[in-house]
Amino acid sequence: MDSLAFKDDISGSVAAANSLQLIAFSIGEQTYGVEITTVREIRAWNGATPLPNTREFVRGVINLRGTIVPIFDLRARFGEGVTSPTKNHVVVVMSVGEKWVGILVDAVSDILTVAKDDIHNVPEGNSIDTELLNGIVTHENRMVGLIDLHAVVSGAKVDA
Amino acid sequence: MFGNPEGFVTKSMSDLDDFKATYFDECSELLLELEEQFAAIEEGERSSDRLNAVFRAIHSIKGGGGAFGFQGLVGFAHAYETLLDHVRDGRVELSEHVTALCIRANDIVADFVAAAREGRALAPGFGAEEKLQFDALTSNDPDAAGEPMDEFDIDFVPVMVTIAGAEDDAAAAEPLTFAGLDDSFEAPPLLADAGQWTIRFTPHSELYARANDPLLLLRELGTLGEIQVRAVLDEIPALADFEPFGVYCSWEITLSSATASEAAIAEVFEFVEGNCDLEISRGAAVAEEELDEAIEAMPSFAELLEAPVAVEAEVLSFTELAEAMKPALKAAPPLMPPPLLKQAAQVEEFEGDNDRRSGVEDRRNGVQSIRVDLDKIDRVVNMVGELVITQSMLTQQMDETLRARYQELVRGLEVLAQTTRGLQDSVMAIRAQPVKTVFSRMPRLVRELASKTGKKIRLETIGENTEIDKTIIEQLSDPLTHMIRNSADHGIETPERRAAAGKAEGGVIRLSAEQAGGNILIAVEDDGGGINRERVLQVARDRGVVGPEQMLSDEQIDQLIFAPGFSTASEVSDISGRGVGMDVVLSNIKKIGGSVHVKSWTGKGTRMTLRLPLTLAVLDVMLVKVAGSPYVIPLSSIVETIQCARANFSRMPTGGQVLQVRGEYVQVVDLASRFEMTTEVARDNRFVVLCEAEGGVKVALIVDDIIGQQQVVIKSLEENFQSIEGIAGGTILGDGNVALIVDVQGLKSANSPHKSAA
């Protein structure tokens, strides 16, 4: 998958308004964000049909008004173990290119407006972080990781 | 995705592309029509109707091609059309050679159209050989050779033009029109007054509204003889008063022809009868200057109308109008008395003929159809699928207590169920097409096969009006081609052998289609020698498809012809015998949710039957549970279900399991472990679903529970995700949950013991 396209996308809209709106959500103590324009809807967790022969971070598929949408467990994707979801957990449905995917998170916390100058590069080091994040931004003394959706949804097959 | 403002811009820019797309759609239909007509012509039905249809189709393809500037196509179609024209009026005999040439020409036209559609160039000499043959056939007619193709120089300057078109040469023979060839109308021979006719043609706006083109009519008139056309432009108002859709132009044509009769001339205008004023009079038109003066002196048609219309201000029927006009017409200066009176007389005729004319009108309305993008229909089909599911979900929610309490609701739900089913049927009917569209390609195939193999083969088709989903029809062409090839190559014997066996020399392949419940059965039957079972088994053993010890029933041997890589032809022939074919048939048919059965009678023939679903949108499935998740298995691949407690499992030395069922050992796939899930259901309470994969190979799937049968709408996993091994797709159940469709073929081939054979 081409993650560059997504990065260009962000910088493009930043250049237009010089600021960026994010939907922020939490996994445990950590806060992550995605650009608000990619979010299609937010739903409560209501179970998913598990998919065989996929990696553990693929929670399965749900019926979104007649189309089948895969759900990714973001906690598991970051290698922090599989989420045990409750009714209070939230699925953020987003569009990645032509496809729609859902991301299972603990809660949606906020809508943030950040200046493009405040976005920092991800420091080299942790390979999962550099792979899955586009950048880091500080908001009210919290660190918010910008999710690279293309990277999150890639490598879902067991053999991939 | 949402209301893209640029959409409008791109749309208007792509108008021409839209027209092109429509043209290509029409071409496909016309090419199909050509196939059909020639199939019938080959059968010996050489009626002029058929030739006319062929002529019209080629003419339409040429016309559209000219408009878009597809030079190669137009050039070839023109030459072809000339030949057809010669055939039509009997100057060239429709011999077998010519028929074969025409059929080849159809293919070439199809290639030209395909090339134009894909925007690629064909080799410069493409079709040149056939074109030469056309010319050779038509060249004994001096007019035809090197005939100019000026038909497409459509000139919008309204000046005197001589229409010398491709049909010119036809004038030498009997008067012919597109419309009434078979009317067997004979023009009464005209004697001394080898004639001059004056025709005054004034179209009404309805003529244009019905998409008629005066140019075509005039061109048609040109086939009757030498014509001179003069456009009458006096009615054109000042620009300020000009209505864009107003009709201001009429024509005056002088026709010189020794043979043309008034009826023949009138026939040219047959299709626009009632939508124009037509005056036909004998004799040369008034000399031009005189005419101009006369026209100026004559009150305009509009003026003629004005007075009486003003008096009877309200709605006037045509007859009333005509009645009202009569005095005005009579009062007009006697410039050309006979034609004017004649017109009045014609008007009177119409009065008596009103019924017949309205009948014609009705018929025109009856065949109305619209062209709709398939995507749009698919969207409706999908939504109706959802509706069906929602409706069944609602019905499931109604338990006994609810039923007792809310009887009105129950009744409402029943009506809803009925309406939904009706809606579903109607939507499916929109997608349905007669199998004729595929069947019509087969006669040519059989003829080619017969000539290649040196056998005598006749093709019979039955039930070609049986309707089936368009998508399925598209998938049918390849399998049917393979099956017919197989019948012609392996089934039907050579004439000598047939004679020796006491059969008629010519073999018969019968292609039939019928609806049986929710399925369509398509059978390819031949009266050949039947499957040579000894040889099939021998080959299967040689290739390791069947183990040396394995004993097979006749039926099982017959099924072997569908095994991948299997072919009994000792020599690879041009036609079949490459070992691809019958397995392709099976996999293609499975893909569209169908099944194939073969039945053979030694010495008497073979019948292969395709059982196809009526539609692809809905799949009949068995709903099962594996490790708490719902899965569905296509019913078409299920052979039987067995309780695990009663099943006869054996352990293989390698640790794998096999199931023994009626003397056959079948590979076992435990879906829970295959899908890396854990199940708590005790082994004996689970079930075996015995499925048949490609090539009649069986596989036993172990599931936790069988829930029931139902119809589901297939949903793609790839749309938002990716394909997954062992899963053919997903579907949405009545409770809104997603169930996965088990890919029986995929599961089997993933760890097939016969992998080397494939």
Side-chain angles (χ1 to χ4, degrees):
Chain A
M1 291 220 178
D2 184 11
S3 57
L4 279 174
F6 185 66
K7 284 173 181 162
D8 285 352
D9 221 38
I10 285 189
S11 49
S13 38
V14 169
N18 204 30
S19 68
L20 197 61
Q21 279 204 311
L22 304 175
I23 292 245
F25 42 81
S26 58
I27 293 169
E29 297 298 304
Q30 184 55 257
T31 306
Y32 296 99
V34 291
E35 206 194 340
I36 198 164
T37 53
T38 64
V39 176
R40 294 290 160 245
E41 66 179 271
I42 295 168
R43 309 163 58 90
W45 169 259
N46 193 21
T49 303
L51 286 173
N53 303 326
T54 49
R55 298 273 288 274
E56 75 290 346
F57 62 81
V58 180
R59 289 307 290 251
V61 284
I62 61 163
N63 161 25
L64 187 73
R65 289 182 300 277
T67 39
I68 294 180
V69 173
I71 306 296
F72 294 83
D73 182 340
L74 199 57
R75 174 179 277 113
R77 187 70 181 95
F78 278 104
E80 291 159 24
V82 177
T83 308
S84 311
T86 65
K87 290 259 175 201
N88 295 328
H89 282 73
V90 170
V91 171
V92 183
V93 179
M94 296 176 254
S95 58
V96 185
E98 296 281 292
K99 300 186 173 187
W100 285 32
V101 300
I103 288 194
L104 174 64
V105 299
D106 290 356
V108 169
S109 51
D110 218 343
I111 295 175
L112 310 176
T113 306
V114 297
K116 103 179 179 184
D117 295 340
D118 293 343
I119 299 174
H120 306 286
N121 286 336
V122 185
E124 299 287 326
N126 188 329
S127 64
I128 291 189
D129 287 349
T130 44
E131 183 197 335
L132 299 181
L133 297 183
N134 268 331
I136 291 175
V137 69
T138 312
H139 187 82
E140 291 171 358
N141 296 327
R142 275 184 303 163
M143 193 195 82
V144 179
L146 299 182
I147 302 282
D148 181 343
L149 284 175
H150 279 105
V152 167
V153 303
S154 63
K157 269 195 188 176
V158 171
D159 53 3
Chain B
M1 191 178 298
F2 309 100
N4 171 15
E6 284 170 16
F8 294 100
V9 182
T10 43
K11 183 156 174 50
S12 67
M13 278 172 66
S14 68
D15 262 0
L16 187 65
D17 287 342
D18 287 351
F19 286 133
K20 261 192 198 173
T22 311
Y23 167 67
F24 286 129
D25 281 354
E26 274 168 13
C27 277
S28 324
E29 282 166 23
L30 291 167
L31 289 168
L32 209 63
E33 160 115 26
L34 281 178
E35 283 285 350
E36 268 176 43
Q37 299 300 348
F38 269 103
I41 288 170
E42 274 201 293
E43 299 269 301
E45 272 186 52
R46 306 207 164 164
S47 74
S48 52
D49 269 353
R50 302 226 175 259
L51 275 175
N52 283 332
V54 169
F55 190 89
R56 270 197 303 273
I58 289 293
H59 189 77
S60 305
I61 291 174
K62 182 179 92 166
F68 292 112
F70 301 138
Q71 291 308 328
L73 170 62
V74 172
F76 185 83
H78 179 72
Y80 184 19
E81 196 183 0
T82 311
L83 172 68
L84 286 171
D85 193 43
H86 279 61
V87 170
R88 208 165 60 157
D89 54 26
R91 273 176 292 168
V92 170
E93 194 206 341
L94 189 56
S95 61
E96 256 175 52
H97 167 68
V98 174
T99 311
L101 179 64
C102 286
I103 289 171
R104 205 154 64 242
N106 293 343
D107 290 347
I108 291 169
V109 171
D111 288 345
F112 269 120
V113 170
R117 184 197 293 249
E118 290 154 22
R120 65 185 155 82
L122 289 163
F126 187 76
E129 193 193 317
E130 283 76 12
K131 219 170 146 183
L132 279 178
Q133 292 193 44
F134 294 152
D135 290 345
L137 281 165
T138 53
S139 61
N140 49 4
D141 188 84
D143 294 358
E147 196 181 296
M149 259 183 34
D150 52 359
E151 268 188 284
F152 295 99
D153 299 338
I154 296 167
D155 199 339
F156 287 103
V157 184
V159 290
M160 191 93 81
V161 288
T162 307
I163 299 202
E167 290 88 3
D168 254 6
D169 48 329
E174 56 185 311
L176 283 166
T177 66
F178 287 140
L181 262 179
D182 52 331
D183 279 359
S184 68
F185 171 77
E186 303 251 333
L190 288 168
L191 300 172
D193 189 17
Q196 292 263 309
W197 294 86
T198 303
I199 300 133
R200 213 186 141 94
F201 168 50
T202 313
H204 299 167
S205 56
E206 293 87 21
L207 182 136
Y208 295 103
R210 298 217 160 100
N212 291 298
D213 185 350
L215 179 64
L216 295 174
L217 294 166
L218 297 180
R219 203 180 274 162
E220 184 65 39
L221 200 60
T223 64
L224 297 178
E226 178 105 357
I227 59 169
Q228 287 205 305
V229 183
R230 183 177 166 283
V232 181
L233 307 171
D234 308 81
E235 303 292 326
I236 297 177
L239 192 57
D241 302 326
F242 195 90
E243 274 185 57
F245 290 102
V247 177
Y248 303 110
C249 191
S250 60
W251 287 271
E252 200 166 85
I253 306 111
T254 313
L255 168 70
S256 333
S257 164
T259 50
S261 69
E262 188 173 334
I265 296 169
E267 207 180 316
V268 171
F269 295 94
E270 189 184 351
F271 280 141
V272 293
E273 193 185 340
N275 296 326
C276 67
D277 292 331
L278 191 64
E279 298 158 16
I280 305 169
S281 61
R282 198 177 275 272
V286 194
E288 224 176 294
E289 302 98 70
E290 274 177 58
L291 197 70
D292 281 342
E293 285 167 31
I295 285 165
E296 266 163 43
M298 195 171 77
S300 72
F301 194 61
E303 278 168 345
L304 284 179
L305 282 176
E306 233 161 51
V309 171
V311 175
E312 301 176 32
E314 287 99 5
V315 192
L316 287 173
S317 76
F318 187 71
T319 46
E320 283 167 333
L321 192 64
E323 207 59 54
M325 272 169 57
K326 270 185 207 167
L329 288 171
K330 276 176 189 150
L335 168 67
M336 282 182 272
L340 278 179
L341 284 176
K342 175 154 179 52
Q343 190 199 357
Q346 270 184 351
V347 167
E348 271 165 346
E349 268 171 43
F350 284 159
E351 285 173 50
D353 261 345
N354 260 348
D355 287 349
R356 185 178 65 87
R357 287 170 41 70
S358 67
V360 170
E361 219 83 317
D362 286 349
R363 230 176 310 147
R364 283 199 189 133
N365 291 339
V367 294
Q368 264 181 9
S369 67
I370 53 165
R371 214 175 273 277
V372 183
D373 197 346
L374 204 55
D375 280 350
K376 285 187 190 165
I377 295 178
D378 284 349
R379 232 174 295 153
V380 177
V381 170
N382 272 337
M383 277 193 292
V384 171
E386 298 304 326
L387 191 61
V388 170
I389 288 168
T390 315
Q391 175 264 317
S392 72
M393 182 189 79
L394 282 177
T395 313
Q396 276 171 28
Q397 300 283 320
M398 295 295 290
D399 58 22
E400 285 312 313
T401 30
L402 281 174
R403 264 172 215 284
R405 268 178 70 183
Y406 303 104
Q407 291 186 351
E408 279 306 308
L409 189 60
V410 171
R411 224 163 292 151
L413 277 176
E414 275 164 10
V415 174
L416 178 67
Q418 241 167 24
T419 319
T420 325
R421 260 199 303 278
L423 182 61
Q424 194 180 18
D425 288 348
S426 321
V427 169
M428 293 310 169
I430 295 177
R431 286 190 54 102
Q433 280 198 327
V435 290
K436 191 159 71 182
T437 44
V438 208
F439 279 18
S440 63
R441 294 177 207 166
M442 299 307 157
R444 200 176 82 212
L445 174 74
V446 169
R447 202 173 35 80
E448 278 172 12
L449 291 172
S451 74
K452 270 188 191 163
T453 54
K455 295 171 183 172
K456 286 186 184 166
I457 308 172
R458 189 160 51 87
L459 180 76
E460 284 177 11
T461 49
I462 297 165
E464 51 185 17
N465 285 323
T466 312
E467 290 195 329
I468 193 165
D469 191 275
K470 186 175 161 59
T471 321
I472 298 179
I473 290 211
E474 282 160 8
Q475 306 281 334
L476 265 184
S477 181
D478 278 357
L480 279 184
T481 307
H482 281 304
M483 284 159 75
I484 287 180
R485 277 187 180 165
N486 196 72
S487 285
D489 209 27
H490 302 306
I492 307 275
E493 314 94 323
T494 56
E496 302 83 58
R497 275 233 207 134
R498 290 184 66 93
K503 293 184 189 176
E505 268 195 7
V508 177
I509 296 178
R510 187 177 295 122
L511 184 57
S512 64
E514 62 172 318
Q515 184 171 351
N519 290 292
I520 296 286
L521 301 181
I522 293 185
V524 175
E525 219 172 322
D526 66 60
D527 65 347
I531 291 175
N532 184 342
R533 297 203 176 97
E534 268 172 46
R535 185 150 168 67
V536 166
L537 191 57
Q538 182 62 42
V539 171
R541 289 228 157 99
D542 288 353
R543 309 217 168 153
V545 178
V546 175
E549 302 304 313
Q550 235 170 314
M551 293 307 293
L552 297 179
S553 66
D554 283 0
E555 213 173 286
Q556 284 171 322
I557 296 173
D558 291 349
Q559 290 293 335
L560 283 175
I561 63 169
F562 295 111
F566 183 86
S567 174
T568 57
S570 19
E571 271 174 58
V572 171
S573 74
D574 212 13
I575 296 157
S576 55
R578 277 184 221 94
V580 291
M582 298 318 281
D583 61 319
V584 173
V585 169
L586 189 71
S587 65
N588 281 2
I589 295 302
K590 286 258 156 136
K591 233 179 272 168
I592 52 178
S595 59
V596 188
H597 293 279
V598 60
K599 204 170 160 89
S600 180
W601 299 268
T602 308
K604 284 186 180 157
T606 309
R607 179 170 64 214
M608 279 182 268
T609 312
L610 306 181
R611 180 180 286 271
L612 301 166
L614 271 176
T615 167
L616 277 187
V618 177
L619 186 69
D620 277 304
V621 295
M622 179 177 278
L623 182 60
V624 300
K625 230 171 192 135
V626 178
S629 298
Y631 285 84
V632 299
I633 304 171
L635 221 48
S636 61
S637 59
I638 296 179
V639 180
E640 61 178 302
T641 56
I642 311 162
Q643 261 188 307
C644 276
R646 295 179 173 194
N648 189 358
F649 291 105
S650 323
R651 189 160 286 277
M652 297 286 277
T654 51
Q657 270 193 336
V658 289
L659 175 74
Q660 201 181 346
V661 55
R662 279 189 288 281
E664 209 180 334
Y665 288 98
V666 176
Q667 175 199 355
V668 174
V669 176
D670 183 336
L671 282 186
S673 57
R674 183 72 173 70
F675 291 155
E676 293 172 333
M677 293 175 183
T678 46
T679 177
E680 274 125 47
V681 181
R683 174 76 192 229
D684 277 359
N685 293 335
R686 301 176 78 197
F687 290 87
V688 174
V689 180
L690 189 62
C691 298
E692 197 177 71
E694 264 174 42
V697 180
K698 294 193 178 70
V699 55
L701 306 180
I702 299 186
V703 301
D704 291 357
D705 198 5
I706 291 175
I707 295 164
Q709 286 182 16
Q710 68 179 85
Q711 288 196 324
V712 297
V713 179
I714 304 168
K715 300 279 175 183
S716 155
L717 277 182
E718 281 129 271
E719 187 184 340
N720 288 316
F721 193 51
Q722 58 198 39
S723 66
I724 292 173
E725 198 196 317
I727 301 296
T731 185
I732 292 157
L733 298 176
D735 59 6
N737 283 329
V738 178
L740 302 175
I741 302 171
V742 176
D743 177 10
V744 175
Q745 182 58 34
L747 283 174
K748 197 227 94 197
S749 52
N751 43 4
S752 162
H754 296 310
K755 216 169 181 179
S756 55

